[in-house]
Structure formats: C-alpha cells, structure tokens
Amino acid sequence: MNETPDLSIVIPVYNERGVLPQCLQRLEQALASLTLSVELVFVDDGSNDGCAQWLADHPSTIGVSRIISLSRNFGKEAAMTAGLETAAGKAMIVIDADLQDPPELIPEMVEQWQKGIDVVLMQRRTRPGESIMKRFSSRLFHRLLRSSSKLDIPADVGDFRLMSRRAVEALKQLPERNRYMKGLFAWVGMPTVVLQYDRAPRAAGASKWSYLELSRLAIEGITSFSTRPLKLAILLGLVAAFCGGAFGLWIVFKALAFGDPVQGYPSLIAVITFLGGAQLITVGIVGEYVGKTYIESKQRPVYLVREITEVAQQVAEAEPTTRHETEA
Ligand code: UDP
Ligand code: MG
C-alpha cells in the first residue's frame, strides 16, 4: 500500500472475536457504495481470544486491513490513540467493533467531511440495551464535566466520530498520558457538525466497562480538564473554617456568660469527625492532581505496539491473498 487512502476506519478491538465476522460484513456492506479508497485499522488491545489472527486470516473486500497489536490491554482510550496515530487516511472514523455504532451511517459522515467539515460528531438519540442507571450516571457526568471544564462537550456523544486529517494532526499534538479522548477531541475544536443516530444494543459479547471503570473514567475526565475540584476544596476549607470560628466564639461566649461546666462531648466528636472527613476529601482531591502530575512526568508512552500486520485487500472472491508482516 503506497498511496494515501481517503478514509481510515479505526476500530478498537478487545476480545471481540464473537462480533468480528458480523462487524467486517456490515462494514463491507456499508462502505461498498463509497467511491473512496478505504483502509481498516483494527487495534487489537491485548485481546486473548485470537481476534488479531482472525482478522489477519480474513482480508476485507473494501480495502487494506491493518492490524495493530498492542503489547497488552491498554484500554480503549489508548487503543484509539494508537489507531489514529497509525492511520494514514485523509479522514478517519472511530467506530466500536461491537456494532453499537451503525456502520451504515459512515457515508453520511463522509458527505459532511466532503463539504469541508473537520469533525462529524455522532450524538445518540436513544441508547437501547443500556440500563437506566448507566444512562443516568452518564448524563450526570456529562453535566459535571461541561460545567467544570468550560469545554463544549455535547451530551450523549461518544467516540463514534469522523475527523479530518487536520483534526487528527492537531490531536496528535496533545501529548498527555491521561487520555480522556472525548475531552481531548473537544479541546481541539475545529468546524464541527453533530448528527443524531440511534445507538444499537451490542451485537454480541458483553460490555468491557464496569461501573468502577466508568467512575474512574469520569474522575479522569474531570480532573484532566478542570481544576475546579481544587477550588471546591478551598471553598470547603473556607466554609469549615468560618463555621469553626463561629462555633468557637459561641463556646467562649457561653463559658463566660453562663460559666459552662465541662460539657459538649457530642458536639466535639461531631466537629472532629466532620473536619476529619473534610480534610481527607481535600487531601484526596489534591492527591488526584499530584498523582496525575507524577504520571505525566514519567513521560511513558501511551501504548506499545507489538506488531503491525497488513492484510491486502481481497480483490476477487477466489483469489489468494497476500499477507505481509512488518515488525513495529
Ligand atoms: N475496547 C478496547 N479496549 C478495552 C475495552 C474496550 O479496545 O480495554 C473496545 C471494544 O472492543 C469495543 C469498544 O472499545 O470495540 C467499546 O467497548 P464496549 O462495547 O465494551 O464499551 P461500551 O459500548 O459498553 O461503552
Ligand atoms: Mg459497546
């Protein structure tokens, strides 16, 4: 493959062996009508179910497949980064392997790009197959993030999106190790349109996210793009100090005026535990930022590539396929 493909489809894959055949088939169907040259960039995020091998054995009919195998599971954010950094296309689309993001929408996204738009965001109108709890927490998080970071991150927008080369090059200039992609994408800006779609339930397999991980991502998102929690910590400190001062004055006044005998064990304990809690929370918030600074200062790469495999396009039905292996 020498010439630059028009469109790169970046697909992070983590133990998705069950959906890959369907995924490839749907992509092929959806992209068959496009006149653009297409490259499929699968990022195997340390799967242990033979995803990469399956992909290497199944060339696609729409374009070259590149399989980037990471050295271990780095998480979807890192996998997407790896895909976007390796993909060569003039425009790139990030799409989940589990078919929750319908590939049929790709031509519509490409149309917007051809009109000169740099970023096409896909906004979920509905999210079937997701629990009320997940929807609620996701909405709450979006609201928190938007209000605390001043970034224009539209609600219900996931990673499914098209980005022009320009936008991806801009994204590549953001070197941070803590990669909250939705925030990074929003930070880049560029002319953007938002298209709406109905999110499908997962085609097969189970979601790789647990609530614990989602809350980790939420903390990550907020602390990566805002220092407001630190300001809240100061505010909490001020309020506690003020209340403490007022309470202290009241006790002194009471002792002087009424000659209070020793008393007040419950209030003492209440104040101590309240202050103890407030201090721990504050130290925790500060710690979160210190930890981030520590991680960033180590300058470790976001991901490590074990191997990149290129699978040539399958031209005719029966023709044998060539397979090149390149060491990364
Ligand atoms: N994924 C990944 N690395 C991970 C977890 C997930 O590359 O550590 C991929 C996964 O294969 C899928 C996409 O990210 O293509 C979205 O994952 P999932 O469907 O589990 O997330 P959800 O749709 O529930 O948010
Ligand atoms: Mg999914």
Side-chain angles (χ1 to χ4, degrees):
M1 191 201 59
N2 304 322
E3 56 201 82
T4 316
D6 293 318
L7 183 65
S8 299
I9 313 276
V10 174
I11 311 150
V13 175
Y14 178 49
N15 289 344
E16 302 281 9
R17 176 66 189 81
V19 277
L20 280 181
Q22 220 179 327
C23 170
L24 195 62
Q25 191 202 0
R26 287 267 298 273
L27 277 170
E28 284 174 349
Q29 275 169 4
L31 298 178
S33 62
L34 286 181
T35 48
L36 307 172
S37 58
V38 177
E39 152 195 71
L40 299 175
V41 180
F42 292 96
V43 186
D44 174 19
D45 188 15
S47 305
N48 48 24
D49 63 351
C51 283
Q53 191 54 47
W54 189 91
L55 287 167
D57 292 340
H58 292 79
S60 95
T61 55
I62 41 171
V64 187
S65 309
R66 284 212 255 173
I67 305 148
I68 308 167
S69 301
L70 302 187
S71 61
R72 62 173 171 83
N73 180 245
F74 281 90
K76 186 182 178 190
E77 313 289 308
M80 282 192 286
T81 308
L84 290 172
E85 284 182 358
T86 317
K90 294 178 192 143
M92 307 185 188
I93 290 180
V94 181
I95 189 168
D96 283 1
D98 60 6
L99 294 169
Q100 283 197 283
D101 311 325
E104 290 71 29
L105 298 170
I106 292 177
E108 212 179 310
M109 299 162 83
V110 169
E111 211 173 285
Q112 294 290 335
W113 167 61
Q114 285 167 333
K115 283 188 202 157
I117 301 287
D118 283 282
V119 181
V120 184
L121 300 180
M122 302 306 284
Q123 189 170 40
R124 299 176 281 235
R125 207 170 349 189
T126 52
R127 318 169 60 150
E130 288 181 16
S131 66
I132 292 178
M133 187 61 195
K134 185 161 176 185
R135 269 182 258 183
F136 173 75
S137 49
S138 130
R139 186 144 306 165
L140 180 76
F141 163 64
H142 265 291
R143 192 150 294 172
L144 268 176
L145 183 63
R146 272 176 73 97
S147 66
S148 62
S149 71
K150 297 197 192 93
L151 277 180
D152 187 20
I153 303 176
D156 282 334
V157 166
D159 297 313
F160 185 29
R161 64 184 61 222
L162 178 144
M163 273 182 292
S164 67
R165 180 92 244 160
R166 245 191 319 240
V168 174
E169 289 303 322
L171 186 72
K172 281 198 215 166
Q173 291 177 30
L174 310 186
E176 48 250 79
R177 270 69 203 157
N178 292 295
R179 298 196 78 81
Y180 178 67
M181 291 303 269
K182 281 184 267 272
L184 296 181
F185 289 144
W187 190 90
V188 165
M190 302 256 176
T192 302
V193 289
V194 181
L195 302 182
Q196 297 213 318
Y197 77 109
D198 297 304
R199 192 156 162 87
R202 230 175 192 285
S207 171
K208 311 289 179 295
W209 298 99
S210 59
Y211 272 110
L212 203 66
E213 257 170 279
L214 282 175
S215 45
R216 186 195 54 76
L217 194 69
I219 293 177
E220 171 93 41
I222 290 171
T223 51
S224 290
F225 285 90
S226 157
T227 48
R228 183 172 283 190
L230 289 173
K231 294 188 185 115
L232 286 180
I234 295 176
L235 194 70
L236 182 68
L238 284 175
V239 170
F242 177 79
C243 294
F247 188 54
L249 281 179
W250 162 243
I251 288 174
V252 170
F253 167 77
K254 218 169 61 164
L256 290 178
F258 310 115
D260 226 5
V262 177
Q263 217 188 49
Y265 176 73
S267 56
L268 190 66
I269 290 298
V271 168
I272 288 176
T273 46
F274 169 73
L275 282 185
Q279 278 167 348
L280 284 181
I281 291 171
T282 315
V283 170
I285 292 174
V286 175
E288 185 62 33
Y289 285 94
V290 173
K292 273 212 144 79
T293 315
Y294 171 60
I295 301 275
E296 294 294 340
S297 72
K298 283 196 284 193
Q299 296 279 306
R300 287 196 184 148
V302 176
Y303 58 89
L304 281 181
V305 176
R306 185 169 60 82
E307 175 181 50
I308 297 183
T309 311
E310 267 187 34
V311 188
Q313 177 173 4
Q314 186 178 31
V315 188
E317 285 295 56
E319 241 176 28
T321 52
T322 43
R323 200 179 130 193
H324 326 275
E325 298 239 344
T326 40
E327 285 294 321

